[in-house]
């Protein structure tokens, strides 16, 4: 039998004071849990108890805790699970040195089966959207809905080989020269559009919990895979921060058009749209819970 830390449900936190808590105190209201299975150890955060479940996947420079404010908006209507991807926080890295999105998707499937979550709404942000698309292609029958925010397209297409090599080398050089802490401190200027200090702190805090091995695997995923390889649900929705400079609105809209999917902007937000506009993002997700 798998071992898990006890579930803690703290309800929905709506007060202004709670929303301004520093990240380490937010951990107390969106607690990290660990599930030890024969395959690996999984780290995730959980809030709420109602069905259906919502599963949230973070991007390459983030973690489960970054979904805190959005999760509290959703927890009144759903059980919210935010995973730490393999090699992030307390999650065991994947066995593959150069994994594909399907490797992450099968790993995620092990977790959702152990937690008995099906059917559920799957939400992916950035690199998490690439993983979510792969999950949809493999396990569509388990999904009630799929939402992709600022999807990372990936550099695995044949015409992106040179760019793939540049991105891989650049990211690995940053890891070597700056370390996890240095990379984390540089992230807000790329991920956050506004100047709210709490949003900057949120980005940095969660990025510091990445492990070097987990990051290297995620870089390989980004550089060798392509989201267009994966067939997603016909009712999938695509969103992007209005001021996203990482996965731009133009890029996200082009992906949506290519897949014949609806597209919508998250107003007044950069790449980390669910950090800057958690209520707006939660409203988009809530529409798929009905």
């Amino acid at each position: 039998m798998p071992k898990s830390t006890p579930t803690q449900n703290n309800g929905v936190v709506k007060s202004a004071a709670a929303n301004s808590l520093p990240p380490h105190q937010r951990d107390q209201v969106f607690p990290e849990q660990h599930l030890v299975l024969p395959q690996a150890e999984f780290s995730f955060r959980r809030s709420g108890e109602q069905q259906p479940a919502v599963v949230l996947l973070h991007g390459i420079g983030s973690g489960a805790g970054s979904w805190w404010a959005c999760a509290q908006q959703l927890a009144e209507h759903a059980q919210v699970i935010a995973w730490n991807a393999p090699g992030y926080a307390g999650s065991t890295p994947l066995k593959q040195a150069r994994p594909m999105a399907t490797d992450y998707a099968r790993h995620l499937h092990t977790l959702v089966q152990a937690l008995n979550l099906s059917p559920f709404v799957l939400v992916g942000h950035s690199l998490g959207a690439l993983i979510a698309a792969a999950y949809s292609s493999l396990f569509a029958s388990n999904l009630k809905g799929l939402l992709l925010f600022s999807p990372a397209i990936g550099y695995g297409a044949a015409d992106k080989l040179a760019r793939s090599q540049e991105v891989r080398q650049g990211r690995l050089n940053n890891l070597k020269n700056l370390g996890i802490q240095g990379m984390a401190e540089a992230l807000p200027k790329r991920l956050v559009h506004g100047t709210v200090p709490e949003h900057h702190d949120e980005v940095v805090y969660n990025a510091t919990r990445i492990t070097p091995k987990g990051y290297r695997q995620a870089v390989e995923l980004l550089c060798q895979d392509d989201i267009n390889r994966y067939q997603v649900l016909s009712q999938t929705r695509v969103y992007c921060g209005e001021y996203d400079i990482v996965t731009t609105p133009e890029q996200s809209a082009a992906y949506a058009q290519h897949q014949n999917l609806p597209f919508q902007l998250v107003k007044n937000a950069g790449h980390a749209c669910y950090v800057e506009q958690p209520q707006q993002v939660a409203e988009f997700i809530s529409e798929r819970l009905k």
Side-chain angles (χ1 to χ4, degrees), residues 53-281:
V54 177
V55 177
L56 307 170
L57 309 183
H58 62 80
I60 192 170
S62 192
S66 61
W67 289 99
W68 175 86
C70 186
Q72 297 311 295
Q73 297 288 332
L74 294 167
E76 186 175 9
H77 310 290
Q79 179 184 181
V80 185
I81 304 291
W83 87 332
N84 282 304
Y88 285 62
S91 292
T92 305
L94 293 172
K95 295 179 180 179
Q96 301 89 343
R98 302 186 66 185
M100 301 292 283
T102 48
D103 296 313
Y104 285 86
R106 292 187 179 94
H107 201 74
L108 174 64
H109 191 58
T110 299
L111 175 63
V112 299
Q113 283 189 310
L115 297 177
N116 194 29
L117 299 181
S118 298
F120 62 95
V121 173
L122 182 59
V123 180
H125 175 259
S126 196
L127 195 67
L130 175 53
I131 297 169
Y135 188 94
S136 177
S137 73
L138 294 175
F139 307 107
S141 62
N142 291 328
L143 297 180
K144 178 179 174 63
L146 179 64
L147 295 89
L148 307 178
F149 287 87
S150 299
I153 305 302
Y155 299 95
D159 61 348
K160 296 180 180 178
L161 179 59
R163 181 59 180 153
S164 171
Q165 294 173 340
E166 291 175 4
V167 170
R168 178 186 288 107
Q169 193 61 53
R171 285 185 173 269
L172 294 181
N173 283 344
N174 282 342
L175 177 62
K176 178 181 178 181
N177 296 330
L178 300 177
I180 296 296
Q181 184 67 39
M183 291 195 306
E185 292 172 356
L187 276 177
K189 65 182 179 182
R190 284 180 52 78
L191 303 192
V192 178
H193 169 68
T195 59
V196 178
E198 289 82 6
H199 296 161
H200 288 242
D201 292 345
E202 190 81 54
V203 167
V204 173
Y205 175 73
N206 285 286
T208 59
R209 304 199 66 210
I210 303 170
T211 70
K213 185 172 183 179
Y215 184 75
R216 290 190 190 96
Q217 289 180 330
V219 169
E220 294 300 331
L221 167 60
L222 176 66
C223 292
Q224 69 176 354
D225 214 337
D226 183 345
I227 197 172
N228 289 297
R229 292 173 177 164
Y230 302 110
Q231 181 67 44
V232 297
L233 297 178
S234 59
Q235 64 269 37
T236 300
R237 301 290 186 268
V238 181
Y239 306 86
C240 184
E242 182 179 12
Y243 301 108
D244 192 335
I245 63 171
V246 179
T247 55
T248 65
E250 292 78 13
Q251 175 183 297
S252 296
Y255 167 72
Q257 183 177 22
H258 178 73
Q259 296 290 337
N260 196 29
L261 301 171
F263 171 76
Q264 190 167 348
L265 290 174
V266 180
K267 296 294 185 179
N268 298 313
H271 186 64
C273 55
Y274 63 92
V275 173
E276 291 191 273
Q277 299 294 339
Q279 183 172 355
Q280 194 178 156
V281 170

